[in-house]
Amino acid sequence: MALTSWKQFRFFDVSQVTLQDGDNSVALDPQQSSTRCVVAGTKNIFVGKPNGTVQLLDQSFKLARSWKAHDHGSVTHIKQIPETAYLLTLSEDLSQEPELRIWSLDQTEKRTGYPKCLCTLTVQNGRKNFPVTSFTVTGDLTQLAVGFGNGAVTVVRGDFIHERGTKQRTVFESEEPITGLEFREANATALYIATTSRILALAITGNKQGTPARTLDENGCDVGCMTLDPQSNEIVVARDDAIYAYGPRGRAASYAYEGAKKLIAVCNGYVLIVSPPNNNFARSSALRAFGGAQVNDILNTSSFTILNTDLKFIGHQESLSNQVSTLFGIWGEIYLLTVDGKLFRYHEKTFQQKLDILYQQNRYILAISMAQKYKVDPVQQNVIFRKYGDYSYQKGEYDTAMQQYLRAIDNTEPSQIIRKFLDHQRIRNLIEYLEELHEHHNATSDHTTLLLNCYAKLKDVDKLEEFIRQPGDLKFDLDTAILMCRQGGYYDQAAFLARRHNEHGLVVDILVENLKKYAEALAYIVRLEPKEAYPNFMKYGTVLLEHCSTEATQLFIDYFTGSFRPKKDAVIVQEAPVTQESGGFGTMATSAVQNLAALIPLPYMTMSTAQPPSSGSDQKQTVNQVVETTTEDDFVEYEVPKPRVAFSSFVDHPDQFVVFLEACIDSEGVKTEDKTDLYTTLFEMYLHKAGTTEADEKAEWERKAKSLIESKDVPIDTSNVLLLSDLEKFRDGTVLVSERQGLRFDVFRSYTAAQDTRGAIKALQKYGPEEPQLYPAALAYFTISPEVLEEAGTEVEAVLKKIDEDGLMAPLQVIQTLSTNAVATMGLVKKYLSSTVERERSEIAANRRLISSYRADTTQKLGEIDELATKPASFSATRCSACGTTLDLPTVHFLCKHSFHQRCLNIAEGQEPDDIECPFCSQQNQTVRQIRRAQEESAGRHELFANALDRSSDKFGTISEFFGRGVMGVQAASE
């Protein structure tokens, strides 16, 4: 990976260390002859001097200790064994071989007060005086290696602490100078050797000890460009083209980084690199020629870079105005010493400060990696995950955002995340989060319900099935879960949940409304208890009647007649040959129950274990036969509802309704008070069916309707029959009711209103003798139109004849009736008028004769009265009119020519003679007197005359009658 692609940050605060002047000050200027090397130990900084002195500086860079380490030469290399008090110093003098001494800093010489010297030895180089280019030692201080400029490497082994002897051996020689040495300590210790042209590994211990050095890379490095990474235990080499890491098997990693490298170090997990930025020699020469001293300053600048190779970012990078002499890390800080003696401290920012920088640049992945590398608190890591999730969510990278939210699930409010992904309908991401909530046992019932909803929306049937069928207590809201499954189209799962928790109403809803399995719904209902079955089949009665008319009708009949019994099923497994069965209702019903059993467990169903079919010559199949059973003991008493409540379910199903009504009427389980509704509704349905059919079928329905109302014990209200018959144009019903009520005129009127001439004639012939007023109405009807008149035929003459014979109408009234329209002609009434005129003439003649006779009789009577009043009467009777015997005195004679014995008259004592009347004529005389008295009384009651005149159709006849009664007479004046 090229270093140019690494992100650069300022994770370090740079400050120059102010070195105090005074007696305890120390000059760290490498250009001065007073300093040869500066090395960081465990707790102190060690400075090697040309005069063989070693100085120890404390954290404030004050001289804490100083002693004469070597008598000859200058101290060029210093190394402290980590976490120990052992210090190694190496002095060089080209006139002799290098001298190495081991010191114990926690022990002092009593005489001098210097640290105790544990061992002194001369490093051999074959008596060749070449400078030491590199120096390293093992952590247990049992081996050390020294590299020389002539390409030789000397390894010294022994007990350096107790001076029990050491052995030296030149283990490597080459023509290139040694530029770096590092021990890699593991199961076997290896010495990594760097020259200017190669990188090699030499086994120091182990079974490969003694073998020649193995070349790891054909490219070497400069002095100071090789170091050991204590964390990875790998060798890090800096070359002009890149930075390389080497392990026991060769190159492990590389990072492209162009430019010359001067120094490399590893401190606190960072790789520190110092390199001059201007490495083009030709360009440098031209600049020197052109610019002089200022160009020299530019060319002397160095570039200091702090890399994190694990996380692949640049923690700090800057240019320095002077060349760098030394890099070292101590006290948790990084220090850089320039050749002009300036010391710079690089203080790493706190983790939170680095996070703030990364947040500003949206470098959340790097922040997460840093947190994991530094093993920060999980709560703080979750904060980073959540921030990264929020950032990804804002960018629309929902998958990435969800992954981060999942990592921070323990410290995040679930509702915040759920709300985000619900708004954007990222259902799959939401499922991940909800599943993880369940894995962490942080889910509530609402979360579970939401998860179930998401499964349904994504049609993930497998997960949905696994979730809803899991054993144990219910973890979600049942109604919401069923509603979600129905909305998602998972009706079988919704039905299973509803049945499992005895929500029978929901089961039927799903079967009818969603699955459209009407036969299965009906099969389920008939297996419920009466109280549970009733609301379900009443709710979907119309739908079930439409798709399963016969079975649904029977269910209604059973329930409303009190004979409903829940069915119980047993599945019998049997083997049967594979044959093509014919279809039919029985097959459909069995199939519906079997399908329902496969879908959800039926109430009261018991399953037997199916045996697999045996393989044989005869092809057979296993048949699950569902047997419906009911017993008397299974009857559950329930309150039978009124049949009327079921009427609305039979809308648009008249045939099934008729069957239901007839069955209820014939049943003994229906109460008597409910049969009025049943009979009335059945009569209405008969009429409805008659009105919607034709020919023979219509006649059959009308026959049933007529037969129903003709029965004497049918509790149908007359007004209902009359109303229904009128609405459905059923005249037989109207006629029957009218006949029962004596409304014969209404019957006739119903025919005339419908212009049923034949019916009107029939009614006239039937009711005319009892209702004479029908004839005038018939005459008016027959003449309303030519068609009716033609259809009536000779019946018009018969009506006129009847009217004429019975005097139902005056001739003038007949003429007025016939003259209301232009239908009747003179030819129609000619005969009637002729006979009428002739009869009237005969009556006039008869009346005249009668008048003459009355006048003659009156004259006679008046003459007789006059004679009786003025002339004596002679009596010649010889026998008594009462007893028939011969008259003897005393005898009583009456002017009526009747004679009686006095004893036969029974005359009371004291009775006046004028009060005695003829016994034979007294009754007739009394009648005459009463009639006269009545006439006299009525003559004064003029209201009777007025009422009679209003009611009379013959006004003149009425006036004549009352005129004869003396109404018009003048009373004699009282004397």
Side-chain angles (χ1 to χ4, degrees), residues 645-832:
V645 300
F647 290 178
S648 60
S649 300
F650 288 91
V651 175
D652 298 330
H653 303 288
D655 294 333
Q656 290 76 23
F657 194 20
V658 169
V659 174
F660 170 75
L661 293 172
E662 291 176 343
C664 290
I665 289 174
D666 296 337
S667 174
E668 297 179 357
V670 178
K671 298 178 181 179
T672 305
E673 59 267 21
D674 296 331
K675 289 196 174 183
T676 300
D677 289 338
L678 293 173
Y679 276 104
T680 304
T681 308
L682 181 59
F683 175 68
E684 181 181 0
M685 292 307 302
Y686 283 157
L687 296 182
H688 174 73
K689 290 296 295 181
T692 56
T693 55
E694 296 179 357
D696 296 339
E697 189 175 356
K698 178 177 182 179
E700 177 62 20
W701 287 113
E702 289 181 345
R703 185 194 64 77
K704 288 186 176 183
K706 186 175 181 180
S707 176
L708 185 66
I709 60 176
E710 283 178 345
S711 301
K712 297 181 178 180
D713 56 346
V714 174
I716 303 179
D717 187 74
T718 304
S719 60
N720 290 333
V721 175
L722 190 61
L723 175 62
L724 294 173
S725 299
D726 183 64
L727 292 175
E728 296 293 339
K729 305 297 186 294
F730 181 57
R731 293 192 191 90
D732 290 346
T734 305
V735 169
L736 183 62
V737 173
S738 300
E739 287 180 348
R740 289 180 178 177
Q741 298 294 326
L743 304 175
R744 299 177 180 86
F745 200 95
D746 291 343
V747 175
F748 178 77
R749 188 181 300 158
S750 67
Y751 286 113
T752 59
Q755 293 190 359
D756 185 358
T757 306
R758 293 184 180 275
I761 294 173
K762 184 178 178 181
L764 181 63
Q765 294 173 351
K766 185 176 180 180
Y767 307 124
E770 299 179 3
E771 291 286 342
Q773 293 301 320
L774 291 178
Y775 292 101
L779 180 63
Y781 168 71
F782 290 153
T783 57
I784 62 172
S785 68
E787 293 79 8
V788 174
L789 181 61
E790 182 179 359
E791 188 175 0
T794 60
E795 190 66 28
V796 179
E797 296 179 359
V799 171
L800 286 173
K801 182 180 180 182
K802 185 67 175 177
I803 292 174
D804 184 33
E805 291 176 350
D806 295 346
L808 301 176
M809 296 177 67
L812 183 60
Q813 291 176 318
V814 173
I815 297 301
Q816 290 175 345
T817 301
L818 297 177
S819 63
T820 56
N821 51 58
V823 175
T825 62
M826 287 301 297
L828 179 65
V829 296
K830 181 179 180 181
K831 184 178 181 181
Y832 169 76

Side-chain angles (χ1 to χ4, degrees), residues 388-408:
Y388 184 27
D390 294 340
Y391 170 72
S392 301
Y393 181 84
Q394 293 175 357
K395 290 178 61 180
E397 298 175 355
Y398 300 109
D399 293 338
T400 304
M402 178 51 66
Q403 293 301 319
Q404 305 311 313
Y405 289 139
L406 291 178
R407 299 171 74 177

Side-chain angles (χ1 to χ4, degrees), residues 28 59 107 132 170 242 257 446 469 543 569 600 602 606 658 729 812:
L28 295 179
Q59 194 167 354
Q107 300 180 24
V132 175
T170 301
Y257 184 22
D446 292 336
R469 294 180 183 272
V543 178
D569 301 304
I600 54 177
L602 283 170
T606 58
V658 169
K729 305 297 186 294
L812 183 60

Side-chain angles (χ1 to χ4, degrees), residues 15 209 242 253 280 331 381 496 579 585 676 700 771 789 842 942:
S15 62
Q209 183 179 356
N280 191 317
W331 307 311
Q381 290 190 38
F496 176 85
T579 58
F585 167 70
T676 300
E700 177 62 20
E771 291 286 342
L789 181 61
S842 299
H942 301 289

